[in-house]
Amino acid sequence: RAGTKEDIATFRIGLRWYAARVSEIVETINDASLFPIPFMPSMMVGCTTYKGSPLPVLDLRRVLDGGAGVPEGRETSNQIVIMTKPDGTSFGLLVDDLGEITEVLADRLAPLPAMVADQQAFADSVIAPNDTDEGNLIVVLRAERLHANLTRSAAGAAASMTPSPR
């Protein structure tokens, strides 16, 4: 079919498949060492060193399904998708498996309804099923929204650690 297309990368977190626009992905790395940071936000698993600088790494399974449906052996998996926001800020996303990179017709990228796609959401659209799909939607994550939620989460954690004035 003719029409505008977008390159989409797929990856699995837990038992579900997600996607991201290839334009927001820098690269993927395997077996990176992760080190925890005190008072990290709940969805941050730690940092790794990337090109000589610390890179925060998110683990969405910490907030999705309360960790339900996580495959055995995940603790040893360190596949990280490095994403970047339009302003160049980068971070890592811990994933269980990498899928395909494919071209998707832009008309299959359905925006999420307003009540779902508020500022707390990590995504803005889904890949709508076509005639050959089994009806499963694939959520398309956005780097800017993931990072905004990490920042908001970190600010909330810092505020809760600040002693209240007497």
Side-chain angles (χ1 to χ4, degrees), residues 4-8 21-23 102-106 109 142:
T4 307
K5 297 178 181 176
E6 282 201 56
D7 289 331
I8 301 290
R21 290 165 179 86
V22 170
S23 61
T102 186
E103 281 187 340
V104 174
L105 288 169
L109 290 174
R142 291 303 303 240

Side-chain angles (χ1 to χ4, degrees), residues 70-156:
V70 176
E72 290 294 322
R74 168 65 191 277
E75 308 324 314
T76 61
S77 172
N78 281 344
Q79 288 186 304
I80 299 170
V81 174
I82 299 174
M83 300 183 76
T84 188
K85 294 179 8 179
D87 70 3
T89 304
S90 296
F91 62 92
L93 181 64
L94 194 63
V95 301
D96 293 304
D97 196 13
L98 299 172
E100 298 178 5
I101 296 176
T102 186
E103 281 187 340
V104 174
L105 288 169
D107 65 353
R108 285 196 58 209
L109 290 174
L112 290 171
M115 67 186 292
V116 176
D118 70 1
Q119 295 300 352
Q120 300 295 326
F122 303 131
D124 67 346
S125 59
V126 295
I127 299 174
N130 62 23
D131 297 336
T132 61
D133 291 336
E134 298 176 5
N136 292 328
L137 298 175
I138 297 177
V139 175
V140 181
L141 302 173
R142 291 303 303 240
E144 196 156 12
R145 289 182 176 219
L146 284 165
H147 189 269
N149 277 288
L150 172 65
T151 305
R152 188 173 15 263
S153 200

Side-chain angles (χ1 to χ4, degrees), residues 25 38 60 68 101 146 166:
I25 296 176
L60 284 185
I101 296 176
L146 284 165
R166 294 186 185 238

